[in-house]
Amino acid sequence: MTIDAIDKRLIGATQAGLPLTDEPYAAIAAQTGVSEAEVIERLRAMLARGVIRRVALAPNHYALGMVANGMSVWDVEDARATELGAQIGALEFVSHCYLRPRAEGWPYNLFAMIHGASRDEVEEKRREIAAILGPACRESDILYSTRILKKTGMRLKPES
């Protein structure tokens, strides 16, 4: 998979986040020397080719009052994991949900990040997930966040 010089400039201009303006793609266009329409089209094309995975907002949940955040982990029957994972990932209070292979001593294959204003609220939401998973789930746990971690994606090295 190759990218050209313009794609590299676009990745460089956006890898720390989109500009916080009313027209972020126009700002990126001005910075990179291409039209706003080309910025949008090239980002769409890179998404479609898998060069970039997403253009997304990464909120600070603590600043939004969601100070109880837990990664719930579930041991779900493999035959139903994809179907049930899609249902869990669609829940309003789940910010991300994914399947992972089980590891020795770690039976969980479905992960879902739950956010709430209190641990009681998160536990209530966890019970909602458990009800959806029903008997397809054999075991679960939750790992609560104790602090926010800086989230960053891949960074391209600047060209010399």
Side-chain angles (χ1 to χ4, degrees), residues 24-140:
Y25 298 110
I28 294 165
Q31 180 182 344
T32 58
V34 298
S35 72
E36 181 179 15
E38 186 172 359
V39 167
I40 293 167
E41 180 52 40
R42 282 179 171 269
L43 289 174
R44 281 187 182 135
M46 284 191 283
L47 279 166
R49 292 190 338 252
V51 173
I52 58 176
R53 288 187 296 160
R54 64 179 176 229
V55 177
L57 177 70
N60 177 337
H61 295 94
Y62 290 88
L64 296 172
M66 295 183 213
V67 295
N69 305 291
M71 177 59 76
S72 63
V73 293
W74 309 85
D75 176 10
V76 178
E77 293 174 11
D78 290 331
R80 303 215 38 224
T82 299
E83 164 209 347
L84 291 168
Q87 290 178 44
I88 303 310
L91 294 170
E92 173 182 279
F93 54 82
V94 172
S95 64
H96 49 285
C97 181
Y98 47 89
L99 296 172
R100 290 286 184 261
R102 293 177 178 84
E104 186 175 330
W106 186 258
Y108 310 109
N109 60 340
L110 178 64
F111 296 66
M113 189 69 184
I114 305 171
H115 302 281
S118 68
R119 283 198 178 189
D120 286 342
E121 180 184 345
V122 171
E123 287 297 333
E124 181 179 321
K125 292 172 177 178
R126 183 176 170 211
R127 286 189 293 277
E128 187 176 330
I129 291 174
I132 292 168
L133 297 175
C137 180
R138 296 176 284 254
E139 188 177 346
S140 71

